[in-house]
Amino acid sequence: MAASRPIVLRTGYRGKTGMLNWALHRITGLGIVLFVGTHVFASFGMQQFGSDSATTINIVYQSWAFQVFVYFCVLFHAFNGTRLALVDLVPALLRYQRELYWLQWIIFLPAYLLPVFFLLQTGLAAR
Amino acid sequence: MQPPRLTRNAGSLDYSLWLFTRLSGLGLMLFAAVSMALAFVLGGRTLLDLPTMLRWMFFPNPNHVVNSNIPDVSLGWSNAFWQIFGFLIVLLASAHGFNGVRMVLEDYLRSPLAVLIVRGSLLVIWLGCLIIAVYVILAS
């Protein structure tokens, strides 16, 4: 169902197709910083002190379920970032914003879903 | 959809960081591609399963492949090359990431004092993370 009025975030940004990617880029980016930050400190805790809580964090991080999630964050951020960088560094591409947006999703979906299929397959088989 | 064209002051810190974000992002993907290519050169096709390969691509640390079928990780998978490689990735990625956090936070900040506090805290946290990360790389 189409929204009856434009969707406005608290920042006042009103976008069309770009808004989904903009929000996802921020959320996945912050998620990666959070994940990598805690992972670095957890690895340090494991390595130096053999900490149980650090080991628990890293066991969660290397589970297949978490990897499906992290792979989405990293791959989406990488794909959207590539499109952004291309458009920003080669302004002539601005004419093809819409095409590039759809091209990004068309490449992203198989590049994400195919490995996820195998992650699920091996993950569920190993249970 | 035409985004508003902002005039950027070339040479300013904001412009440099704007450019750095784009170039470091592309650079990090190049690092991932090289990690994957060299993993195949080292025989990763038969030695690594997919989750391990993804972990290695994301960050080529010997701890990420230690549970795979590699007979001896210290041969080829763990040496000065990968330590320097990992250090460069951590340097680029942490600068990219913490600058991103700064940009997101500053979108929601009004007062210059708050911006100053956020920038100072992020700088300290960034350097702390960097030191710990480099220690983990060199010790693993």
Side-chain angles (χ1 to χ4, degrees), chain B residues 92-105:
Chain B
L92 272 184
S94 61
H96 182 103
F98 277 96
N99 182 48
V101 173
R102 179 189 68 83
M103 285 177 66
V104 172
L105 287 178

PDB file of all heavy atoms in Angstrom, chain B residues 92-105:
ATOM      1  N   LEU B  92      42.634   1.304   7.798  1.00  0.00           N
ATOM      2  CA  LEU B  92      41.645   1.877   6.879  1.00  0.00           C
ATOM      3  C   LEU B  92      40.229   1.708   7.422  1.00  0.00           C
ATOM      4  O   LEU B  92      39.443   2.649   7.448  1.00  0.00           O
ATOM      5  CB  LEU B  92      41.741   1.194   5.514  1.00  0.00           C
ATOM      6  CG  LEU B  92      42.706   1.755   4.488  1.00  0.00           C
ATOM      7  CD1 LEU B  92      42.555   0.994   3.187  1.00  0.00           C
ATOM      8  CD2 LEU B  92      42.422   3.220   4.253  1.00  0.00           C
ATOM      9  N   ALA B  93      39.918   0.469   7.866  1.00  0.00           N
ATOM     10  CA  ALA B  93      38.543   0.155   8.255  1.00  0.00           C
ATOM     11  C   ALA B  93      38.132   0.934   9.496  1.00  0.00           C
ATOM     12  O   ALA B  93      37.011   1.449   9.568  1.00  0.00           O
ATOM     13  CB  ALA B  93      38.386  -1.342   8.502  1.00  0.00           C
ATOM     14  N   SER B  94      39.039   1.044  10.481  1.00  0.00           N
ATOM     15  CA  SER B  94      38.650   1.747  11.703  1.00  0.00           C
ATOM     16  C   SER B  94      38.490   3.239  11.435  1.00  0.00           C
ATOM     17  O   SER B  94      37.560   3.870  11.951  1.00  0.00           O
ATOM     18  CB  SER B  94      39.670   1.496  12.808  1.00  0.00           C
ATOM     19  OG  SER B  94      40.931   1.968  12.416  1.00  0.00           O
ATOM     20  N   ALA B  95      39.367   3.813  10.607  1.00  0.00           N
ATOM     21  CA  ALA B  95      39.221   5.231  10.268  1.00  0.00           C
ATOM     22  C   ALA B  95      37.910   5.452   9.523  1.00  0.00           C
ATOM     23  O   ALA B  95      37.156   6.388   9.820  1.00  0.00           O
ATOM     24  CB  ALA B  95      40.403   5.691   9.427  1.00  0.00           C
ATOM     25  N   HIS B  96      37.608   4.578   8.554  1.00  0.00           N
ATOM     26  CA  HIS B  96      36.370   4.644   7.792  1.00  0.00           C
ATOM     27  C   HIS B  96      35.163   4.524   8.732  1.00  0.00           C
ATOM     28  O   HIS B  96      34.226   5.311   8.656  1.00  0.00           O
ATOM     29  CB  HIS B  96      36.384   3.508   6.762  1.00  0.00           C
ATOM     30  CG  HIS B  96      35.212   3.448   5.841  1.00  0.00           C
ATOM     31  ND1 HIS B  96      35.259   3.879   4.543  1.00  0.00           N
ATOM     32  CD2 HIS B  96      33.962   2.980   6.026  1.00  0.00           C
ATOM     33  CE1 HIS B  96      34.081   3.679   3.973  1.00  0.00           C
ATOM     34  NE2 HIS B  96      33.268   3.141   4.857  1.00  0.00           N
ATOM     35  N   GLY B  97      35.228   3.539   9.639  1.00  0.00           N
ATOM     36  CA  GLY B  97      34.096   3.256  10.518  1.00  0.00           C
ATOM     37  C   GLY B  97      33.855   4.359  11.524  1.00  0.00           C
ATOM     38  O   GLY B  97      32.728   4.828  11.697  1.00  0.00           O
ATOM     39  N   PHE B  98      34.930   4.796  12.192  1.00  0.00           N
ATOM     40  CA  PHE B  98      34.729   5.819  13.230  1.00  0.00           C
ATOM     41  C   PHE B  98      34.380   7.165  12.617  1.00  0.00           C
ATOM     42  O   PHE B  98      33.622   7.943  13.206  1.00  0.00           O
ATOM     43  CB  PHE B  98      35.960   5.915  14.136  1.00  0.00           C
ATOM     44  CG  PHE B  98      35.938   4.870  15.217  1.00  0.00           C
ATOM     45  CD1 PHE B  98      36.616   3.681  15.080  1.00  0.00           C
ATOM     46  CD2 PHE B  98      35.186   5.080  16.352  1.00  0.00           C
ATOM     47  CE1 PHE B  98      36.566   2.707  16.061  1.00  0.00           C
ATOM     48  CE2 PHE B  98      35.121   4.122  17.350  1.00  0.00           C
ATOM     49  CZ  PHE B  98      35.819   2.923  17.208  1.00  0.00           C
ATOM     50  N   ASN B  99      34.899   7.457  11.422  1.00  0.00           N
ATOM     51  CA  ASN B  99      34.474   8.680  10.746  1.00  0.00           C
ATOM     52  C   ASN B  99      32.998   8.595  10.380  1.00  0.00           C
ATOM     53  O   ASN B  99      32.271   9.589  10.469  1.00  0.00           O
ATOM     54  CB  ASN B  99      35.317   8.919   9.489  1.00  0.00           C
ATOM     55  CG  ASN B  99      34.938  10.200   8.800  1.00  0.00           C
ATOM     56  OD1 ASN B  99      34.822  11.232   9.425  1.00  0.00           O
ATOM     57  ND2 ASN B  99      34.706  10.127   7.496  1.00  0.00           N
ATOM     58  N   GLY B 100      32.546   7.378  10.009  1.00  0.00           N
ATOM     59  CA  GLY B 100      31.127   7.187   9.713  1.00  0.00           C
ATOM     60  C   GLY B 100      30.262   7.426  10.939  1.00  0.00           C
ATOM     61  O   GLY B 100      29.227   8.096  10.870  1.00  0.00           O
ATOM     62  N   VAL B 101      30.704   6.891  12.082  1.00  0.00           N
ATOM     63  CA  VAL B 101      29.965   7.104  13.334  1.00  0.00           C
ATOM     64  C   VAL B 101      29.903   8.597  13.647  1.00  0.00           C
ATOM     65  O   VAL B 101      28.861   9.126  14.044  1.00  0.00           O
ATOM     66  CB  VAL B 101      30.628   6.330  14.493  1.00  0.00           C
ATOM     67  CG1 VAL B 101      29.971   6.676  15.813  1.00  0.00           C
ATOM     68  CG2 VAL B 101      30.551   4.831  14.247  1.00  0.00           C
ATOM     69  N   ARG B 102      31.038   9.280  13.448  1.00  0.00           N
ATOM     70  CA  ARG B 102      31.075  10.726  13.687  1.00  0.00           C
ATOM     71  C   ARG B 102      30.049  11.452  12.815  1.00  0.00           C
ATOM     72  O   ARG B 102      29.278  12.297  13.289  1.00  0.00           O
ATOM     73  CB  ARG B 102      32.480  11.259  13.385  1.00  0.00           C
ATOM     74  CG  ARG B 102      32.642  12.755  13.575  1.00  0.00           C
ATOM     75  CD  ARG B 102      33.969  13.241  13.046  1.00  0.00           C
ATOM     76  NE  ARG B 102      34.067  13.159  11.582  1.00  0.00           N
ATOM     77  CZ  ARG B 102      33.592  14.075  10.741  1.00  0.00           C
ATOM     78  NH1 ARG B 102      33.023  15.149  11.205  1.00  0.00           N
ATOM     79  NH2 ARG B 102      33.706  13.914   9.431  1.00  0.00           N
ATOM     80  N   MET B 103      29.997  11.064  11.515  1.00  0.00           N
ATOM     81  CA  MET B 103      29.074  11.746  10.613  1.00  0.00           C
ATOM     82  C   MET B 103      27.630  11.495  11.002  1.00  0.00           C
ATOM     83  O   MET B 103      26.802  12.411  10.956  1.00  0.00           O
ATOM     84  CB  MET B 103      29.324  11.297   9.174  1.00  0.00           C
ATOM     85  CG  MET B 103      30.577  11.913   8.603  1.00  0.00           C
ATOM     86  SD  MET B 103      30.918  11.332   6.942  1.00  0.00           S
ATOM     87  CE  MET B 103      29.537  12.013   6.052  1.00  0.00           C
ATOM     88  N   VAL B 104      27.323  10.253  11.391  1.00  0.00           N
ATOM     89  CA  VAL B 104      25.941   9.940  11.795  1.00  0.00           C
ATOM     90  C   VAL B 104      25.583  10.732  13.047  1.00  0.00           C
ATOM     91  O   VAL B 104      24.526  11.370  13.119  1.00  0.00           O
ATOM     92  CB  VAL B 104      25.789   8.425  12.045  1.00  0.00           C
ATOM     93  CG1 VAL B 104      24.435   8.126  12.659  1.00  0.00           C
ATOM     94  CG2 VAL B 104      25.962   7.643  10.750  1.00  0.00           C
ATOM     95  N   LEU B 105      26.483  10.733  14.045  1.00  0.00           N
ATOM     96  CA  LEU B 105      26.182  11.437  15.300  1.00  0.00           C
ATOM     97  C   LEU B 105      26.026  12.938  15.072  1.00  0.00           C
ATOM     98  O   LEU B 105      25.134  13.575  15.634  1.00  0.00           O
ATOM     99  CB  LEU B 105      27.288  11.172  16.327  1.00  0.00           C
ATOM    100  CG  LEU B 105      27.309   9.773  16.928  1.00  0.00           C
ATOM    101  CD1 LEU B 105      28.479   9.628  17.894  1.00  0.00           C
ATOM    102  CD2 LEU B 105      26.003   9.469  17.647  1.00  0.00           C
TER     103      LEU B 105
END
